[in-house]
Amino acid sequence: MGTPAAAPGVPTFRAEPLWPKPLPGNWILGQVAGIAVSPDNHVWIVHRPLTLLDDEKGATKSPPETKCCTAAPAVMEFDTDGNLLRHWGGAGAGFEWPKNEHGIMVDRDGNVWVGGNDDIDHHLLKFTPDGKFLQQVGRQGSTGGSNSTTQLGRPAHMQIDEAAGELYVADGYKNRRIIVFDAKTGAYKRHWGAYGKPPSDDKMPPYSPTGPLSEQFSNPVHCVRLANDGLVYVCDRANDRIQVFRKDGTFVKEFRVEPQTLQNGSVWDLVLSTDPQQKFIFIADGANGQIHTLDRDTGTLLTQWGRHGRQPGQFKWVHNIAIDQAGNLYTAEVGFGRRVQKFRRTE
């Protein structure tokens, strides 16, 4: 599958096939569209209950057609041993639950942010750890293009700069930009597109591995991550690249990742390693079914592991990746993957 899965000084991982522990209540997961680790080292996921297939929800029919199953609640919290701690999610008073869940993040105070990427989902939601609604940024059914200062366009992912009190959004499946809001008020701060330039919604030519690099982000702009040194990492998924910026949107550099990839792109999500210098980038590559390790400074590919498949350590559309304080990795799969996996760091 390419570069060896081990290299001197580079972290290695082993799948834990019995993580998480069996779900209660005859529950089953649909497409798992987001995973995050909270400050207390718990693992949060958001999945899509409406994506269950008919033969997965026979127990909900009247009369029941099979013994199994019912959809698990959309938002679930686990400890690092895989025990289910809390669960909630779905429609409620005062907010618009997304039609197609996409993305989850837990801030310093333990509050849980959830997004969606259906054609009508142009907003983010903030809840307490127990699922009490706190805040909505954007509105369902309302969008205004990649240069709107008031509206989102199918946002994919979010992260908070706690020191500055700013919310960064990878916006997303319709828009082609990073946009920054005041995390408490939702007030607009700034936005930018590829190379730090104003974004455009003009139709772009299809990605070509041998063609000129696109001057615009493709759809989706799938992740945004902040490093300890203040750099901002953006997943330009379908263009097979990571672009790196300063917090004001100034372009710094870019890394191409598996640039020959045509189907769905290679850079679906990324996290940075937990050492103080954050030497490594771990990338979830849904199209190729792999995790790539890059040198954060140079973008050099160091290791890659995994392949398409249904066994532990294999993937079908690995969509998101998270990392805990011990450096263990967690992955979430959409499509027909429909699961989460834990990979314990072994070196």
Side-chain angles (χ1 to χ4, degrees), residues 50-301:
L50 294 181
T51 62
L52 264 62
L53 304 176
D54 282 344
D55 61 4
E56 294 175 320
K57 54 185 178 183
T60 67
K61 303 295 182 64
S62 183
E65 297 176 351
T66 57
K67 292 181 179 179
C68 189
C69 292
T70 61
V75 177
M76 309 178 79
E77 176 192 13
F78 300 88
D79 64 22
T80 54
D81 292 326
N83 297 299
L84 179 64
L85 304 177
R86 273 185 286 209
H87 50 82
W88 45 267
F95 62 90
E96 300 166 311
W97 187 260
K99 185 177 178 181
N100 195 56
E101 295 86 353
H102 192 293
I104 189 169
M105 182 267 296
V106 184
D107 65 25
R108 180 177 57 189
D109 297 324
N111 297 314
V112 181
W113 295 73
V114 177
N117 75 326
D118 186 80
D119 286 343
I120 66 168
D121 291 332
H122 308 303
H123 62 299
L124 303 173
L125 300 172
K126 177 183 177 183
F127 299 89
T128 69
D130 291 321
K132 178 183 177 183
F133 171 66
L134 295 175
Q135 183 182 1
Q136 179 166 327
V137 178
R139 302 297 305 176
Q140 198 170 56
S142 177
T143 188
S146 289
N147 288 292
S148 172
T149 61
T150 60
Q151 297 167 299
L152 295 169
R154 301 176 66 193
H157 186 247
M158 71 297 286
Q159 187 167 359
I160 288 181
D161 179 352
E162 300 285 0
E166 294 183 332
L167 171 67
Y168 287 70
V169 183
D171 186 40
Y173 274 78
K174 181 175 177 62
N175 292 340
R176 300 177 184 153
R177 63 178 177 176
I178 297 299
I179 186 168
V180 184
F181 298 98
D182 184 285
K184 292 192 179 300
T185 67
Y188 168 82
K189 291 291 195 73
R190 59 192 177 276
H191 73 272
W192 66 85
Y195 298 104
K197 300 176 181 179
S200 169
D201 292 316
D202 295 340
K203 184 176 177 60
M204 303 298 295
Y207 170 77
S208 170
T210 59
L213 300 180
S214 175
E215 293 296 314
Q216 296 290 335
F217 289 138
S218 183
N219 296 116
V221 186
H222 208 242
C223 87
V224 58
R225 301 284 188 178
L226 304 182
N228 294 339
D229 58 10
L231 294 179
V232 180
Y233 289 76
V234 177
C235 298
D236 189 7
R237 183 173 120 179
N239 282 326
D240 295 343
R241 66 185 178 185
I242 300 166
Q243 289 206 331
V244 186
F245 303 89
R246 296 189 180 93
K247 291 181 180 179
D248 63 1
T250 301
F251 175 74
V252 176
K253 56 188 173 182
E254 65 183 347
F255 305 138
R256 301 185 76 185
V257 180
E258 296 291 350
Q260 78 285 355
T261 305
L262 298 177
Q263 184 187 88
N264 296 319
S266 62
V267 185
W268 291 42
D269 196 6
L270 67 85
V271 289
L272 306 177
S273 57
T274 54
D275 56 284
Q277 294 77 30
Q278 297 183 302
K279 295 178 182 178
F280 307 107
I281 304 173
F282 304 111
I283 297 171
D285 179 349
N288 294 301
Q290 292 190 304
I291 306 298
H292 308 299
T293 306
L294 270 58
D295 179 285
R296 184 168 79 94
D297 184 43
T298 65
T300 302
L301 177 64

